[in-house]
Amino acid sequence: MEKSISYWNNLAVEAIHDEESFTELYEHFFPRVYKFIYAKTSDAEISDEIISRTFMKMFENLKNYNPNRAAFSTWFFQIALNELKMYWRSKSYRGEHEESWDEEFNPAAPDYEEPEKKILQAEMQEKIREALEKLPERERKIIEMTYWLNYPPRKIAEVLDLKPNTVSVILKRAKNSLKNLLS
């Protein structure tokens, strides 16, 4: 059976001074965070680099983790997201992806890569992030598990110690709240 959020929160606090607790956190969260990062990069080498930095940041800042402010998984995934953003902004990312144009290459960007659409997409992502932060923690957690970790309601129910129907109701409520916040 999946361990509860409070179990991982408490383990994170213990991991500050206990190597076994840190190892358990690492073994549990590594595949989940790696899957999240790989889904964003589609590149194993880049994902390896980002996951390494993510765990280093987590280790360095574990003493600052406060379980009363957020679930450990939320806190940790935010570190991963920040590392991913920092990588995309870095010169190394731009340098690695600059390629010379082939003579037959058509430099016109596909619709989804047009600058205006990228800006609109980035603005929408920021609005969604801000709206998610306004949701109660339980609703935010269910959204994250549904869309980041691709957990079905049954698995979310196990993790959060709820009934699957309750998870579905909370998810629907959270989606409606997001829709209202975004409109």
Side-chain angles (χ1 to χ4, degrees), residues 101-110 113:
W101 287 1
D102 192 341
E103 285 184 30
E104 296 179 26
F105 177 70
N106 179 0
E113 287 186 6

Side-chain angles (χ1 to χ4, degrees), residues 7-84:
Y7 173 83
W8 296 113
N9 292 352
N10 293 334
L11 193 67
V13 171
E14 291 173 20
I16 296 168
H17 303 290
D18 181 38
E19 189 175 329
E20 286 181 25
S21 297
F22 183 83
T23 301
E24 187 174 350
L25 280 176
Y26 179 86
E27 289 174 353
H28 178 76
F29 283 98
F30 180 87
R32 290 157 178 80
V33 176
Y34 188 87
K35 179 180 174 184
F36 168 72
I37 291 171
Y38 186 80
K40 304 285 186 195
T41 65
S42 300
D43 185 307
E45 190 175 322
I46 293 171
S47 297
D48 288 344
E49 180 180 334
I50 295 170
I51 194 88
S52 294
R53 290 198 323 234
T54 298
F55 273 95
M56 286 301 295
K57 276 280 173 64
M58 184 266 282
F59 179 73
E60 291 168 357
N61 293 292
L62 200 53
K63 63 189 172 294
N64 300 324
Y65 169 66
N66 180 352
N68 296 323
R69 292 190 60 207
F72 175 75
S73 57
T74 303
W75 180 81
F76 186 52
F77 270 91
Q78 188 60 50
I79 291 173
L81 189 57
N82 289 343
E83 287 301 313
L84 188 60

